[in-house]
Amino acid sequence: MKIFIDTANVREIQEAVALGIIDGVTTNPSLIAKEKRPCGEVLKEICAMVAGPVSAEVIGLDAESMVKEAQELSIIAENIVIKIPLIKEGIRAVRMLSQKNIRTNVTLCFSVSQALLAAKAGATFISPFIGRLDDISQTGMDLVRDIKTIYGNYSFKTEIIVASVRNPLHVVNAALLGADIATVPFAVIEQLLTHPLTDSGVQRFLDDYKKIPK
Ligand code: E4P
């Protein structure tokens, strides 16, 4: 499973990339707003830090504005992927962009029917928002399982990005289901790494090493 980092913070990206396990980045307007820097400047810096896809979201609500924004964002770097909201005009925009060979990440997906239409429109990626579904007492991971089944039934090429990840179990379950990608906040990447038995085990080995006669 590929791991993307879900942030617009360059320090977090730098630290995660240094681990050698990051395949791409997803951003959204809320994440970029936290950085208090111009959007184009942040995206340019991020694109230079990773070789893989960097998702940047449009804010237009009609297909023509989305396509125009997509073309402007695409100039920033070759690895920019255009994030399009899963609304009616978004689906039209995805079709138009796929005809122009511009890659899309269809975001804010909360149902399998939405995911089916995104794939039919030619989406490169679909982003089911797992955590936000869990927040309203619907099992987000069920959506991932159903999308995977339907995409498999028809050999759709659209890759599934498990998004709105809140904890390590979301990542583990995404991998168990065979999702293509999980996009993970920096704090959860750190949680994935750590285990108290590893830490106490390292400490015990260090303590015992000191007892070995020199
Ligand atoms: C994904 O592409 C989104 O940026 C992100 O996962 C949304 O997560 P949230 O529901 O925690 O805001």
Side-chain angles (χ1 to χ4, degrees), residues 136-165:
I136 57 159
S137 304
Q138 286 184 26
T139 308
M141 223 34 89
D142 288 349
L143 175 59
V144 176
R145 183 182 298 107
D146 289 346
I147 296 173
K148 177 121 182 88
T149 301
I150 288 182
Y151 283 9
N153 287 347
Y154 299 99
S155 304
F156 283 120
K157 297 278 177 286
T158 306
E159 290 187 69
I160 302 170
I161 304 180
V162 175
S164 188
V165 162

Side-chain angles (χ1 to χ4, degrees), residues 98-162:
S98 82
Q99 281 160 352
K100 294 179 192 295
N101 286 322
I102 294 180
R103 293 184 295 168
T104 52
N105 172 0
V106 181
T107 188
L108 290 166
C109 172
F110 294 98
S111 78
V112 72
S113 58
Q114 290 181 314
L116 174 61
L117 296 189
K120 281 199 68 73
T124 317
F125 302 102
I126 183 75
S127 288
F129 273 39
I130 300 318
R132 293 193 197 186
L133 280 172
D134 287 355
D135 290 345
I136 57 159
S137 304
Q138 286 184 26
T139 308
M141 223 34 89
D142 288 349
L143 175 59
V144 176
R145 183 182 298 107
D146 289 346
I147 296 173
K148 177 121 182 88
T149 301
I150 288 182
Y151 283 9
N153 287 347
Y154 299 99
S155 304
F156 283 120
K157 297 278 177 286
T158 306
E159 290 187 69
I160 302 170
I161 304 180
V162 175

Side-chain angles (χ1 to χ4, degrees), residues 3 19 50 78 91 103 112 144 146 157 181 199 209:
I3 294 183
L19 291 173
V50 291
E78 276 190 359
I91 291 295
R103 293 184 295 168
V112 72
V144 176
D146 289 346
K157 297 278 177 286
I181 303 143
D199 294 342
Y209 178 79

Side-chain angles (χ1 to χ4, degrees), residues 6-7 26-28 30-31 55 57 83 105 107 127-132 135 161-166 183-185:
D6 193 31
T7 185
T26 51
T27 70
N28 62 40
S30 309
L31 292 171
S55 292
E57 190 156 343
K83 228 174 173 188
N105 172 0
T107 188
S127 288
F129 273 39
I130 300 318
R132 293 193 197 186
D135 290 345
I161 304 180
V162 175
S164 188
V165 162
R166 302 275 162 79
T183 188
V184 187

